[in-house]
Amino acid sequence: MSLPRRLAVIDVESTGAHPVRDRITEIAILRIEAGEVVARWESLVAPGQPIPPLIEQVTGISDAMVADAPSFEAVAGTVAALLEDCVFVAHSARFDFAFIKNAFARIGRTFDAPVLCTVKLSRALFPEHHRHGLDALIERHQLVCEARHRAMGDVEVLWQFVRQVEAAFPPEVLARAAERAMKAPVLPPGLPEGMLEAVPDVSGLYLFHATEEPPANGRRDPPLFVGRAQSLRARVREHFAPNVRKGRDAELAARVKRVEWIETAGELDTSLQELALLRTLRPPYNRAQEPAEGAFALRLLANRRRAPIYDSVPIAGTDPAGWEDLYGVFRNHREADNLLRELAMLYRLCPRRLGLEGGNGPCTAHAARRCAGVCAGRESIAEHDARLAGALAGVGIKPWPWAGAVRVAEHHPASGRSRHHVFDRWCFLGSAADEAAAAALAATAPRVFDVDIWRLLGRWLTVPAHLQQLSPLPAGEA
């Protein structure tokens, strides 16, 4: 036969996407033998933990609905009988398989079965398409779903899909596709079954941990690594692909025992949350973050005869509205020296007067005709320093383009998440869930300069399309 003779088409709904920590709330199973449905069963399941509001919104399953439902232990015998001697068929099958396997393990029973993933089956049969999620299959194949995100509704869709491809493809083609769809993935040694399949295909941040369970007190334990991605699922899988496991990457992959993720509303939301996590958690496999507390700008000292001819003025944590006659934004003195060397080359400035070279008399650049000669009496200090001030004028913080605070609205259609970020004079005032809360931030939050936020926002604003997400707040709210 093109497909295995006994199939159990199954779908589970749950309190979340984590196959170890979350619990089943509903199960539906169609047992198929020789192409005929021989058993149909569905049941709500008491999860023993609250159903998060977002999950309730998606599935329609509430705490009240499962309050009197049987526990998994009570239905385990029925589930085992329906799955016995069958190929386990589900969409992103390792996800559902992990929930069933872990549910059996928690009551002291073992479970195993050959698994056929209908996502992989669709990819094998329809490689010309890029999307193979259940909604994509429903639209592409005109399948009928009576109750999306309810277990039996999704199971019925999968059974329609299976019958449709059996009718559309020669048995040998379908058999080869089924073989590919049943091929077990190479699992990372430290991760539980179904963990990679549980990671959503949305943008956000992912955290790799060296422990299987988070701390019991509910606090976030320090991760090994924090990463970002437009597709969390694809990026996380890349870390565990055998062909990329080399050196430090291989060491990281071998240590990971838990994956957590944070879904975000968009690119700016991802960047802001990533910066906060890297600063507070300091993951050892990320590049070390240089402290931003030492940021400074330069203030030229008029008519100063000897170097240094400028002061380093601390600006971290200050309000840019109070800055006067400041040039540049530097995280450390290395950055400042590098800029001054570049300006010296471009504008024939004197390295000795800029404090980049010691000694007396003409500087080395003057001998090479790269200095106009303030060190050799060929030009006045006033002329040299005026040229320096002109060169520095284009360096550092540009004028804030708006009259007051602005709101950046981000919304991710796949996750449904929305965030409103508020900025003023290059300072981040905070993020809010709606416009009203954003306006309140603009009216009350202080402006505190952060060099990393300034650079992050500056990069984000260079993309013209991003400006469409930005709205100046009324002057009375800023």
Side-chain angles (χ1 to χ4, degrees), residues 124-244:
L125 294 172
F126 304 98
E128 68 275 18
H129 296 291
H130 296 292
R131 296 169 56 241
H132 298 274
L134 201 54
D135 289 324
L137 265 60
I138 291 171
E139 179 182 354
R140 187 154 59 238
H141 302 287
Q142 299 182 342
L143 307 175
V144 178
C145 185
E146 298 293 339
R148 183 73 176 95
H149 295 299
R150 290 300 298 270
M152 185 54 77
D154 290 352
V155 162
E156 292 282 11
V157 168
L158 294 182
W159 177 225
Q160 291 174 51
F161 174 70
V162 169
R163 285 184 295 174
Q164 194 173 108
V165 297
E166 278 195 307
F169 290 90
E172 62 276 10
V173 174
L174 194 56
R176 288 196 299 270
E179 183 179 358
R180 291 176 60 184
M182 293 179 67
K183 186 176 180 180
V186 178
L187 297 175
L191 289 180
E193 177 83 42
M195 189 72 258
L196 294 186
E197 287 74 17
V199 180
D201 189 18
V202 297
S203 67
L205 301 165
Y206 58 94
L207 296 82
F208 289 160
H209 293 268
T211 58
E212 295 180 359
E213 291 293 332
N217 54 21
R219 292 185 300 177
R220 174 169 281 152
D221 54 331
L224 296 168
F225 179 80
V226 173
R228 58 181 295 163
Q230 289 297 310
S231 169
L232 288 172
R233 182 180 299 166
R235 182 68 187 98
V236 168
R237 284 178 174 174
E238 287 178 7
H239 281 277
F240 302 101
N243 60 333
V244 297

Side-chain angles (χ1 to χ4, degrees), residues 101-121:
K101 185 170 184 174
N102 287 325
F104 274 115
R106 279 190 287 271
I107 61 172
R109 298 178 60 170
T110 59
F111 172 76
D112 204 359
V115 177
L116 190 157
C117 177
T118 48
V119 172
K120 294 180 179 179
L121 184 65

Side-chain angles (χ1 to χ4, degrees), residues 67-80:
D68 298 322
S71 66
F72 181 81
E73 186 172 11
V75 300
T78 302
V79 173

Side-chain angles (χ1 to χ4, degrees), residues 412-475:
H412 196 288
S415 67
R417 296 181 182 274
S418 297
R419 294 296 283 169
H420 300 259
H421 314 292
V422 182
F423 299 90
D424 191 10
R425 292 182 181 264
W426 305 105
C427 298
F428 177 47
L429 305 189
S431 297
D434 53 45
E435 294 184 35
L441 278 174
T444 60
R447 289 186 292 256
V448 177
F449 182 77
D450 184 314
V451 62
D452 291 322
I453 294 290
W454 166 63
R455 290 176 176 176
L456 184 158
L457 181 60
R459 290 192 298 268
W460 189 84
L461 289 173
T462 59
V463 180
H466 288 165
L467 295 176
Q468 299 175 10
Q469 300 170 243
L470 188 149
S471 302
L473 290 167

